[in-house]
Amino acid sequence: MRVAPVIPVFSVVRTADIIFTMKNTHDNLPPEQTVIALAHFAWCALVALRTAQQDGLALSPLSTHTFLLRWLTVAYKQKRFLRAIASDIEGLLALGRSKGLAAGLFSRLEYLWSSCSGPVSAQSDLYRLTYAIEQLKSRGWVNAAVSDRDWDNEALLVQEYSDTNALLVRKSALTCGFSDEGKLVAPVEFLVLGDMPACVEAFRTHALPIVMTALKRIALQPDQ
């Protein structure tokens, strides 16, 4: 079986999840439109919060969390935003319900807004990787994060994804390879199954520092 999808959360870990472990429900939207939709969603949430605070509501951390959780619930149930980002809203809801205040919904929405509203060239390494992966996904690529055990069994992975273009990464390397600010701090290797030139082009288009490490492998290398 292929790696089971994981509901994404916002932050560096969330960004990693949106690349490799979230449900592939962006309905093949071009990456630029997906980012615009996410920015609009985050902006609406933050404006709603600020409006409530001007009315004397949601002024404490707990009341802020409660307000955002309710707002997200209504937005999700009423389908106020594009279906392409429904899984992102669902992920925030699941996080807020399971972790409470520790979920940091406000800071995650602020991060999403700031990440999605600026030019790609000004974004972090991890966010530019997001763009590159979204571009590949829009062209029919499959992406997945795999366990350390599965990563060491390349023959099995090649067989599993033999019918499609696929970009795979060791989940532990993806999680540890970036700082909290999204800067590449350690090499992150990818297994490319299928159209290697197309994958390399997508990475280079987004100014990602890649090197070939083996016949079917490329790696992001941090600056020395």
Side-chain angles (χ1 to χ4, degrees):
M1 296 178 63
R2 295 187 176 179
V3 178
V6 177
I7 293 175
V9 295
F10 295 109
S11 74
V12 169
V13 175
R14 182 264 174 217
T15 309
D17 281 341
I18 197 174
I19 303 170
F20 282 99
T21 56
M22 68 174 288
K23 300 173 182 177
N24 290 322
T25 53
H26 279 182
D27 294 341
N28 293 324
L29 268 184
E32 294 80 5
Q33 291 185 25
T34 299
V35 170
I36 290 171
L38 288 169
H40 175 65
F41 155 70
W43 180 83
C44 288
L46 294 172
V47 168
L49 175 63
R50 293 305 187 195
T51 301
Q53 290 174 335
Q54 289 175 0
D55 294 335
L57 305 174
L59 298 177
S60 69
L62 179 58
S63 59
T64 294
H65 172 80
T66 302
F67 176 87
L68 289 174
L69 197 59
R70 289 174 179 170
W71 187 91
L72 290 167
T73 300
V74 173
Y76 183 73
K77 288 183 176 179
Q78 294 184 355
K79 301 179 180 179
R80 292 181 178 178
F81 298 93
L82 292 178
R83 181 181 178 184
I85 62 170
S87 60
D88 298 281
I89 302 174
E90 182 185 9
L92 270 180
L93 272 173
L95 186 71
R97 289 167 176 167
S98 64
K99 294 192 174 183
L101 277 176
L105 295 179
F106 174 65
S107 61
R108 292 174 187 275
L109 286 164
E110 279 198 320
Y111 171 85
L112 180 63
W113 162 246
S114 63
S115 296
C116 293
S117 58
V120 176
S121 60
Q123 301 301 329
S124 67
D125 297 323
L126 182 56
Y127 208 80
R128 283 186 282 111
L129 177 60
T130 305
Y131 265 91
I133 299 308
E134 287 289 349
Q135 178 177 311
L136 291 172
K137 286 167 62 179
S138 72
R139 297 174 180 176
W141 282 65
V142 172
N143 52 275
V146 302
S147 67
D148 290 349
R149 178 180 178 181
D150 289 340
W151 182 255
D152 293 331
N153 193 342
E154 181 175 321
L156 179 62
L157 293 173
V158 169
Q159 180 181 4
E160 182 177 350
Y161 293 92
S162 61
D163 60 342
T164 187
N165 289 314
L167 182 67
L168 311 179
V169 67
R170 188 199 303 257
K171 186 173 183 179
S172 59
L174 183 66
T175 303
C176 298
F178 297 89
S179 70
D180 290 341
E181 293 74 32
K183 180 178 175 58
L184 183 67
V185 295
V188 178
E189 189 176 44
F190 301 86
L191 177 61
V192 182
L193 303 176
D195 191 348
M196 174 66 82
C199 181
V200 170
E201 179 186 5
F203 274 52
R204 289 179 173 167
T205 297
H206 294 87
L208 292 165
I210 61 169
V211 295
M212 296 288 299
T213 57
L215 181 62
K216 298 177 182 177
R217 294 179 185 255
I218 60 175
L220 294 178
Q221 294 284 357
D223 295 333
Q224 298 298 325

